[in-house]
Amino acid sequence: MKTKLLLLIILICSFKISTQEIKMSAQEIAKFKETVESQSKTIKTIKTDFVQIKHMDFLTKDIESSGKLNFKAPNMLSWQYTKPYQYSIIFKNNKVYINDQGKKSTVDAKSKIFEKINKLIVGSVSGNMFDDKEFTISYFKNKQHYIAKLIPKTAAIKKMIKQIDLYFPLKENTVSEVKLIESSGDYTKITFKNKLLNAKIDDAVFTN
């Protein structure tokens, strides 16, 4: 019994060590940014599944949903939620197209705040978000990921988002997980799976 307890303690301590974040050096940051930005320039399309977790303090259980995401450079983006409900939102041509279980609507989004939101979303997917004018950025790493933590500088984004955490697997140059933290402390975590880069995507995907 004591042996099993000791092994459990060792496993727990090992897990904590492996997930501990440490700050990246200036040299590491420069190399990381150069690699990611170079990769992002080659990305024409992204196809990926995603799982989204919405955490709100007043709920006893997180809300989980999943679906498919398609991105086509420079700024066409489609989120299609398939579970537990059918819902899609498409960003295209300065408009947002929404299909809520068959109920369709369009929002004209020719505003500076929309441009920032759209840039933020597209940047989150491609990983190209290292804009020091828009964010205060700090860089960390653990045994599995490089992590970029972005704090918005502009008041418009601060109202919506307190911090954005981007997770890059050590052997990849694109984002595998995005965590959007609100000022209240609630957060949304999106994990991308089965990602395909530069696969052919028909424009019909970006209509609903």
Side-chain angles (χ1 to χ4, degrees):
M1 184 66 183
K2 289 182 179 179
T3 304
K4 288 182 179 179
L5 181 60
L6 180 60
L7 285 171
L8 179 61
I9 292 170
I10 291 172
L11 284 171
I12 292 171
C13 290
S14 298
F15 177 77
K16 287 183 176 179
I17 291 170
S18 68
T19 57
Q20 185 179 16
E21 297 176 5
I22 59 173
K23 281 192 172 183
M24 294 168 62
S25 67
Q27 185 176 1
E28 287 175 323
I29 292 169
K31 184 177 179 180
F32 168 67
K33 288 175 64 176
E34 181 183 359
T35 302
V36 172
E37 289 171 352
S38 177
Q39 170 75 58
S40 70
K41 290 177 182 177
T42 69
I43 294 175
K44 304 301 180 185
T45 68
I46 298 173
K47 297 176 69 173
T48 182
D49 300 327
F50 69 87
V51 175
Q52 176 177 299
I53 302 294
K54 175 67 176 179
H55 173 82
M56 292 183 281
D57 285 342
F58 67 88
L59 295 178
T60 56
K61 189 176 180 180
D62 292 342
I63 301 170
E64 181 174 325
S65 53
S66 60
K68 296 181 179 297
L69 177 146
N70 287 277
F71 165 73
K72 194 170 189 177
N75 57 10
M76 291 202 297
L77 188 65
S78 168
W79 293 83
Q80 295 179 314
Y81 291 83
T82 55
K83 292 181 182 180
Y85 48 78
Q86 299 287 327
Y87 181 90
S88 69
I89 180 167
I90 294 169
F91 297 84
K92 183 177 66 171
N93 300 329
N94 291 320
K95 291 185 182 294
V96 182
Y97 301 89
I98 300 168
N99 187 337
D100 186 355
Q101 301 183 82
K103 185 178 179 180
K104 298 181 181 181
S105 59
T106 303
V107 178
D108 192 2
K110 293 181 180 178
S111 67
K112 288 187 178 180
I113 183 61
F114 169 75
E115 289 177 4
K116 289 182 183 296
I117 293 170
N118 191 44
K119 183 180 177 182
L120 187 151
I121 294 171
V122 170
S124 295
V125 174
S126 66
N128 189 19
M129 289 187 69
F130 306 135
D131 188 343
D132 293 335
K133 295 178 181 177
E134 298 282 355
F135 301 97
T136 299
I137 309 174
S138 53
Y139 298 87
F140 300 83
K141 64 179 181 179
N142 59 27
K143 293 292 185 181
Q144 291 83 33
H145 298 93
Y146 295 117
I147 306 160
K149 299 188 177 186
L150 296 81
I151 297 177
K153 291 181 179 179
T154 60
I157 298 179
K158 280 182 178 179
K159 289 180 181 179
M160 299 176 291
I161 297 170
K162 178 181 179 180
Q163 182 173 311
I164 305 166
D165 294 346
L166 303 178
Y167 291 80
F168 297 76
L170 297 182
K171 295 184 179 181
E172 292 182 27
N173 301 318
T174 58
V175 174
S176 65
E177 185 177 303
V178 180
K179 187 175 182 180
L180 305 170
I181 305 170
E182 301 169 22
S183 56
S184 64
D186 295 340
Y187 64 83
T188 300
K189 183 173 69 174
I190 303 170
T191 303
F192 301 115
K193 299 180 177 181
N194 307 317
K195 187 186 300 178
L196 292 175
L197 300 180
N198 297 327
K200 185 177 179 181
I201 300 178
D202 195 287
D203 283 351
V205 170
F206 303 98
T207 60
N208 63 6

